[in-house]
């Protein structure tokens, strides 16, 4: 039994994204509506996801596009306020992700009691957001300094909207990340939110991750959930759970239940 089985209480857990609307300072923030509209949207999304039967929730500032790799303090501060108001409505384990700022994500987890963080902790990339560098040694020490060593870290080693600056294979990256950084999980993604994750890449990471759980991070649908979760140990799902499968739409509990039904059938066969 790995840590995910203990936290989520089930094999092959499905972690649903709660996409926060744009926040103060973001280009798309609707100041006339204020934070109450952000909170209303998040409450409705969490209710729909839990009604559909998800195993966990990952709260992120998804509509803060275009993302910063070092966020302004207002982003994590606002997210902390929102999560504080949401907390009594969340009945499943939850994590956080301040896109794309590793230390801010860990800070937010420590402040809100989140169980896990998904982030880009390692590597150097050419991305839509410029050259994207990381400093995992500094991040690991920051985690210890603030007493957040129990927060689980999910490393996205195939990040969205970016390519690795270097010639190493994904197999080498998976092996060296596990050896050097001791991640709690490895996330494998497609090009963008909602884009399919290549099964061959997913299998390669799984084959080279040892005992570290592997999470399929984008593009999971009812039609491919069983296939991908036969490879991966868990899934993070966002876009498919939206009305009509459109990223910008609200969560649809019927689509959530549809995918979770496929996962329940897979679990029975294990």
């Amino acid at each position: 039994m790995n840590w995910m089985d203990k936290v989520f209480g089930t094999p092959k857990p499905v972690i649903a994204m709660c996409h926060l609307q744009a926040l103060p300072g973001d280009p798309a923030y609707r100041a006339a509506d204020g934070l109450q509209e952000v909170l209303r949207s998040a409450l409705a999304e969490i209710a729909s996801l839990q009604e559909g039967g998800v195993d966990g929730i990952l709260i992120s500032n998804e509509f803060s596009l275009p993302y910063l790799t070092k966020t302004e303090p207002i982003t994590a501060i606002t997210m902390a306020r929102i999560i504080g108001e949401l907390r009594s409505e969340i009945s499943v384990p939850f994590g956080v992700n301040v896109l794309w700022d590793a230390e801010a994500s860990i800070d937010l987890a420590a402040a809100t009691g989140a169980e896990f963080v998904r982030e880009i902790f390692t590597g150097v990339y050419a991305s839509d957001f410029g050259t994207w560098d990381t400093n995992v040694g500094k991040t690991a020490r920051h985690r210890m300094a603030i007493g957040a060593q129990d927060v689980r870290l999910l490393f996205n080693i195939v990040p969205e909207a970016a390519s690795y600056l270097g010639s190493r294979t994904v197999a080498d990256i998976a092996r060296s990340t596990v050896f050097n950084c001791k991640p709690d999980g490895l996330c494998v993604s497609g090009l963008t939110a909602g884009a399919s994750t290549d099964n061959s890449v997913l299998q390669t990471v799984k084959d080279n991750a040892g005992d570290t759980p592997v999470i399929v991070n984008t593009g999971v649908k009812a039609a491919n959930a069983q296939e991908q979760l036969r490879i991966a140990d868990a899934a993070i799902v966002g876009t498919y759970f939206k009305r009509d499968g459109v990223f910008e739409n609200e969560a649809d509990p019927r689509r959530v239940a549809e995918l979770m039904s496929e996962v329940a059938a897979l679990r029975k066969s294990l």
Side-chain angles (χ1 to χ4, degrees), residues 11-266:
K12 309 290 185 178
V14 173
I15 302 165
M17 295 299 304
C18 174
H19 291 162
L20 299 181
Q21 296 298 314
L23 304 174
D26 293 338
Y29 179 60
R30 298 189 295 269
D33 295 333
L35 284 180
Q36 285 307 308
E37 177 57 23
V38 180
L39 180 61
R40 183 210 62 77
S41 174
L43 282 167
E45 190 147 289
I46 285 172
S48 293
L49 296 171
Q50 292 182 158
E51 178 185 337
V54 300
D55 305 302
I57 288 174
L58 176 59
I59 302 168
S60 76
N61 57 321
E62 207 78 14
F63 290 103
S64 289
L65 288 160
Y67 302 130
L68 294 167
T69 54
K70 179 62 179 176
T71 56
E72 298 293 337
I74 188 62
T75 302
I77 290 168
T78 303
M79 290 178 73
R81 178 206 161 166
I82 291 168
I83 293 169
E85 297 197 41
L86 295 173
R87 189 67 185 88
S88 62
E89 303 301 319
I90 301 174
S91 59
V92 295
F94 78 97
V96 296
N97 186 189
V98 183
L99 297 159
W100 282 109
D101 187 329
E103 289 191 12
S105 293
I106 293 170
D107 288 344
L108 182 60
T112 60
E115 297 263 10
F116 56 95
V117 164
R118 179 194 65 179
E119 260 299 345
I120 309 296
F121 292 106
T122 58
V124 181
Y125 307 88
S127 80
D128 291 348
F129 316 115
T131 304
W132 188 344
D133 201 356
T134 61
N135 188 338
V136 68
K138 180 174 179 289
T139 301
R141 285 161 177 79
H142 177 76
R143 178 194 186 195
M144 290 297 294
I146 66 169
Q149 55 266 38
D150 292 334
V151 175
R152 303 287 186 166
L153 305 185
L154 308 184
F155 284 50
N156 194 342
I157 62 166
V158 186
E160 305 158 37
S163 61
Y164 199 92
L165 288 179
S167 58
R168 293 194 301 155
T169 66
V170 70
D172 288 342
I173 293 168
R175 285 197 300 270
S176 66
T177 300
V178 168
F179 180 85
N180 288 315
C181 305
K182 304 297 186 287
D184 296 299
L186 297 179
C187 295
V188 186
S189 308
L191 178 63
T192 63
S196 296
T197 298
D198 188 302
N199 280 348
S200 65
V201 176
L202 189 62
Q203 186 67 63
T204 296
V205 174
K206 182 63 179 172
D207 290 342
N208 289 275
D211 294 331
T212 302
V214 172
I215 300 101
V216 55
N217 191 49
T218 66
V220 179
K221 307 171 177 65
N224 68 6
Q226 291 198 29
E227 178 184 16
Q228 296 208 303
L229 281 171
R230 288 190 188 279
I231 303 171
D233 300 289
I236 295 174
V237 185
T239 301
Y240 183 79
F241 287 157
K242 302 297 187 73
R243 176 172 50 84
D244 300 326
V246 175
F247 174 73
E248 291 82 5
N249 287 348
E250 74 281 1
D252 181 347
R254 293 171 299 180
R255 292 178 69 90
V256 181
E258 179 186 24
L259 186 146
M260 293 307 299
S261 177
E262 292 292 325
V263 175
L266 172 64

